[in-house]
Amino acid sequence: MATTAPATGAGEARTDSSGAAPMTHRQIMEALSGLLLGMFVAILSSTIVSNALPQIITDLGGGQSAYTWVVTAALLSMTATTPLWGKLADLFSKKLLVQIALVIYVAGSVVAGLSQNTGMLIACRVVQGIGVGGLTALSQIILAAMIAPRERGRYSGYLGAVFAVATVGGPLLGGVITDTEWLGWRWCFYVGVPFAVIALLVLQKTLKLPVVKREVKVDWAGAFFISAAVSLLLIWVTFAGDKYDWMSWQTAVMVGGSVLLGAVFVLVESRASEPIIPLRLFRNRTITLASTASLFVGVAMFAGTVFFSQYFQLARNESPTMSGVLTIPMIGGLFVSSTVSGMIITRTGRWKAWLISGGALATAGLGLLGTLRYDTEYWHIAVFMAVLGLGLGMMMQNLVLCTQNQVAPSDLGAASSVVTFFRSLGGAIGVSALGAVMAHRVTDYVKDGMAELGPKAAAALGQGGGGGGIPDMDKLPAPIRTVMESAYGHGVGDVFLYSAPFALLAFLVTLFIKEVALKSSTVTSEDGR
């Protein structure tokens, strides 16, 4: 066994020093089959409800804030627990951990389907997010433990392909389920359960990773303080400008509290024997820059998947099913770029050009989508979505890949989860902030439209279910319906426009990442630190 990797078993699967022959492609694919299925379940849980959310929130009596929090709650718990899953992967059996994550996901999904109000649904989404955080973090970590960096681009492409299929299949499946009377939106939460059970069984049979037993100490204090800091920040972003002013004592208390909790987290990590996020990792320039870029990419990625359903259903009066169909250009772009870039990176060992190109395309795509209105020609929207998808596909997996290439095997889990953590954090903050922005922009556009229609419009709007909730467009008179559709179309366009600068920042950050050719072995030297 290689002496450079005693802690995790990260190098045992393919190192020649162990005397074992490298795994064949077939053996790797068999081992990855359950992992890919688990990843499919994780992404499916995030996307299947996207086109059902307008109907879910309407049935449960929620408003735009509840709409945003159903998404944000899962992102929050996923973000807060990702570093913990990553650290646990460096200490315990990765196979057992990914199975535990699947069980947590199943439990959250089953209860979510029984929700009677938005509060109950949001709580269940928190549980789902914990499981999904484990699945997304561990899939990257296990992949890295089995496969050398030089070969990893090829298999990262498979993860990207699974991501694309689940992302396009989720909204389509969710739309069909929601539109089917004898099923209904609750089955959006139940349908992933069989896939999770199958993934459990397949993982048990096919995934074989060495388990290295050693004395461990989990940094629970670090996990608590980082969760508290992120949660407080997201709560502030969600309610600022609605429940209280942006410049208010509540803002001062919540932002100050979040900064204080973050400082305590850094102090705890600097003294912990087994820190959840080893601060020494950030001495590595590549890891620091990749984490920063991932933060900004998260904003762009989740903005692209969360708000399209509202645009197509509320601004263009499409069914949940058609909402999924109409987003295929973005998913197609993501699918093509993630798989093609993975294969080419495997052949060449070079990855930086893909990151830079992805940042440029994502920025351009979001900028173009910022021109959306309720009556924008669909072929324009399709082109804009494809550009965004191409950019995101080039960046997401490759930011993790360049980080994994820089660390020793004992830090593989922590380093991988750090990049995933910042991407999820960017998504959670982005969805919260952009959801709040959209609610305000839609309200302003509705007021402007109503002022043009006259005083009787407000009364008719109230009868149609306007107010603070998601409107039922079918109950609105034609002139008012046009005002509402225009407001949502313009509001979603503003969300994409505000997202574009974050993609631009990700692009600028990637320019400063130094390219290091991918290694041909899973055993990473100490120089890689």
Side-chain angles (χ1 to χ4, degrees):
M1 183 179 294
T3 57
T4 53
T8 63
E12 294 91 338
R14 285 182 62 93
T15 55
D16 294 329
S17 57
S18 66
M23 295 174 67
T24 65
H25 173 67
R26 178 176 177 177
Q27 289 172 326
I28 292 173
M29 290 306 299
E30 287 177 352
L32 285 180
S33 57
L35 189 66
L36 293 172
L37 189 56
M39 186 69 173
F40 176 78
V41 167
I43 303 304
L44 189 70
S45 73
S46 301
T47 60
I48 196 169
V49 299
S50 60
N51 287 326
L53 267 182
Q55 184 65 48
I56 293 173
I57 300 303
T58 299
D59 287 353
L60 297 180
Q64 182 66 44
S65 178
Y67 185 103
T68 302
W69 265 103
V70 168
V71 177
T72 304
L75 285 176
L76 169 60
S77 57
M78 180 175 71
T79 301
T81 58
T82 293
L84 181 59
W85 284 110
K87 190 59 188 177
L88 291 174
D90 286 333
L91 305 177
F92 300 106
S93 165
K94 300 174 182 65
K95 178 176 179 177
L96 177 62
L97 288 172
V98 76
Q99 289 175 315
I100 290 173
L102 279 166
V103 171
I104 292 173
Y105 163 80
V106 168
S109 298
V110 171
V111 182
L114 303 174
S115 298
Q116 300 301 309
N117 53 61
T118 54
M120 181 178 178
L121 178 58
I122 290 169
C124 293
R125 292 286 287 172
V126 170
V127 177
Q128 272 191 309
I130 294 172
V132 171
L135 292 171
T136 51
L138 291 166
S139 61
Q140 296 282 357
I141 293 166
I142 293 173
L143 185 73
M146 295 172 55
I147 304 162
R150 181 62 182 268
E151 294 292 321
R152 205 174 297 151
R154 175 185 185 183
Y155 297 97
S156 293
Y158 293 138
L159 281 181
V162 169
F163 181 94
V165 171
T167 305
V168 67
L172 282 171
L173 184 58
V176 170
I177 290 172
T178 304
D179 287 337
T180 304
E181 291 185 8
W182 55 275
L183 287 175
W185 59 262
R186 295 182 186 278
W187 277 91
C188 290
F189 299 102
Y190 301 145
V191 73
V193 174
F195 291 104
V197 173
I198 294 172
L200 269 173
L201 298 175
V202 173
L203 282 167
Q204 182 61 35
K205 182 177 180 180
T206 63
L207 186 61
K208 295 178 175 60
L209 290 175
V211 179
V212 179
K213 296 182 179 180
R214 66 185 179 93
E215 199 172 318
V216 297
K217 185 178 181 181
V218 180
D219 179 22
W220 297 111
F224 169 78
F225 282 111
I226 195 171
S227 301
V230 172
S231 300
L232 190 58
L233 185 64
L234 290 180
I235 292 170
W236 165 68
V237 168
T238 301
F239 295 120
D242 181 17
K243 305 297 184 183
Y244 44 81
D245 294 332
W246 285 96
M247 300 300 293
S248 63
W249 68 266
Q250 291 97 331
T251 289
V253 169
M254 298 179 85
V255 173
S258 183
V259 171
L260 179 61
L261 288 167
V264 173
F265 168 74
V266 172
L267 180 63
V268 169
E269 294 302 273
S270 66
R271 298 181 176 180
S273 58
E274 294 279 2
I276 191 171
I277 298 180
L279 298 180
R280 57 183 167 74
L281 291 177
F282 294 101
R283 297 174 192 162
N284 185 302
R285 179 180 173 184
T286 296
I287 295 176
T288 301
L289 292 174
S291 299
T292 305
S294 291
L295 180 73
F296 298 131
V297 167
V299 177
M301 181 178 76
F302 287 101
T305 56
V306 169
F307 295 103
F308 270 127
S309 60
Q310 283 191 300
Y311 174 76
F312 285 118
Q313 292 183 50
L314 298 177
R316 300 182 76 98
N317 194 34
E318 299 290 353
S319 68
T321 301
M322 281 305 298
S323 293
V325 172
L326 293 172
T327 56
I328 286 179
M330 184 180 75
I331 309 308
L334 194 153
F335 179 89
V336 169
S337 62
S338 63
T339 52
V340 171
S341 66
M343 288 188 292
I344 295 177
I345 287 171
T346 295
R347 292 197 190 105
T348 64
R350 300 290 176 178
W351 44 264
K352 184 172 179 177
W354 294 101
L355 285 182
I356 294 174
S357 300
L361 288 172
T363 303
L366 287 169
L368 292 169
L369 286 168
T371 65
L372 282 188
R373 299 296 181 265
Y374 81 106
D375 55 354
T376 301
E377 292 281 349
Y378 174 71
W379 74 268
H380 289 173
I381 302 171
V383 172
F384 302 162
M385 287 191 293
V387 172
L388 175 61
L390 286 169
L392 292 177
M394 293 178 189
M395 295 195 80
M396 290 190 316
Q397 302 293 341
N398 292 329
L399 283 170
V400 177
L401 181 63
C402 72
T403 300
Q404 292 173 339
N405 192 48
Q406 290 284 303
V407 298
S410 58
D411 287 329
L412 194 58
S416 301
S417 63
V418 161
V419 178
T420 306
F421 165 77
F422 279 102
R423 186 174 69 200
S424 300
L425 178 62
I429 294 175
V431 169
S432 296
L434 294 172
V437 167
M438 179 174 164
H440 294 304
R441 300 301 291 164
V442 168
T443 299
D444 290 342
Y445 292 137
V446 169
K447 287 180 180 177
D448 293 342
M450 290 298 136
E452 295 180 7
L453 291 180
K456 292 183 179 179
L461 176 62
Q463 294 173 3
I470 303 295
D472 186 343
M473 295 296 188
D474 293 331
K475 294 181 180 179
L476 296 176
I480 298 176
R481 178 171 177 165
T482 300
V483 169
M484 296 298 294
E485 289 177 346
S486 177
Y488 273 95
H490 203 161
V492 174
D494 287 349
V495 163
F496 288 121
L497 189 62
Y498 298 153
S499 302
F502 293 97
L504 178 60
L505 288 172
F507 165 73
L508 294 175
V509 169
T510 58
L511 293 176
F512 296 96
I513 298 178
K514 181 180 179 181
E515 182 168 39
V516 177
L518 298 182
K519 299 176 177 64
S520 299
S521 169
T522 54
V523 176
T524 308
S525 69
E526 294 300 314
D527 296 336
R529 290 175 184 257

